[in-house]
Amino acid sequence: MQLYLQRDMKRVEAIIAAEKVSAVNEALKKAGVGGATILDAKGRGKGEKPQVQTGRGTKRLAAEFSVRANVMTVVEDSEVEKVIKAILDTASTGSAGDGKIFVSTVTEAIDIGTKKRGQTAVV
């Protein structure tokens, strides 16, 4: 069994408006985040529903879902507040529906290619 020093890591996951992805990605880079996973998503919540036109363009309806993006990264505990601030400063407009940030503990990380474990697997 291989022994290694395990530092505490957190997964920071933000659900944001799709049009904010590029700006948030740049803010995360400036904050020193080495990598992030960004997924296209659809969501439903308390925010204003987007309006869509029917096939012939004669009627406007409220869409069931809003276009969102899921931005996820894993960082050391000491970096969490910096990551949260970067996301909030970039994605927040002060309106309902701007999104959510979730922070959870990562108990293990393994790089498949190098087989490194712990924090060294995510840097």
Side-chain angles (χ1 to χ4, degrees):
M1 179 173 193
Q2 181 181 7
L3 295 176
Y4 56 93
L5 178 62
Q6 177 70 42
R7 291 182 265 169
D8 291 334
M9 296 178 290
K10 298 289 189 204
R11 175 180 172 149
V12 180
E13 188 169 353
I15 310 300
I16 61 171
E19 61 269 14
K20 298 285 186 172
V21 169
S22 292
V24 168
N25 186 47
E26 286 304 312
L28 291 174
K29 286 180 188 177
K30 287 179 184 172
V33 173
T37 299
I38 301 169
L39 304 170
D40 292 333
K42 291 190 278 186
R44 169 183 71 74
K46 295 179 182 177
E48 186 176 325
K49 303 276 190 251
Q51 297 290 312
V52 294
Q53 290 186 340
T54 59
R56 296 183 185 196
T58 57
K59 191 174 181 182
R60 293 183 65 78
L61 303 170
E64 178 68 23
F65 301 104
S66 298
V67 178
R68 295 285 177 248
N70 183 335
V71 179
M72 189 276 299
T73 189
V74 176
V75 296
E76 289 184 40
D77 271 356
S78 62
E79 302 294 310
V80 171
E81 285 305 317
K82 183 167 60 170
V83 170
I84 290 170
K85 183 178 180 347
I87 296 168
L88 288 175
D89 289 350
T90 309
S92 178
T93 66
S95 301
D98 278 347
K100 302 281 189 235
I101 299 174
F102 303 98
V103 180
S104 54
T105 301
V106 174
T107 57
E108 177 68 281
I110 303 164
D111 184 296
I112 294 172
T114 63
K115 300 180 182 169
K116 291 180 180 178
R117 291 178 174 257
Q119 185 63 31
T120 59
V122 296
V123 290

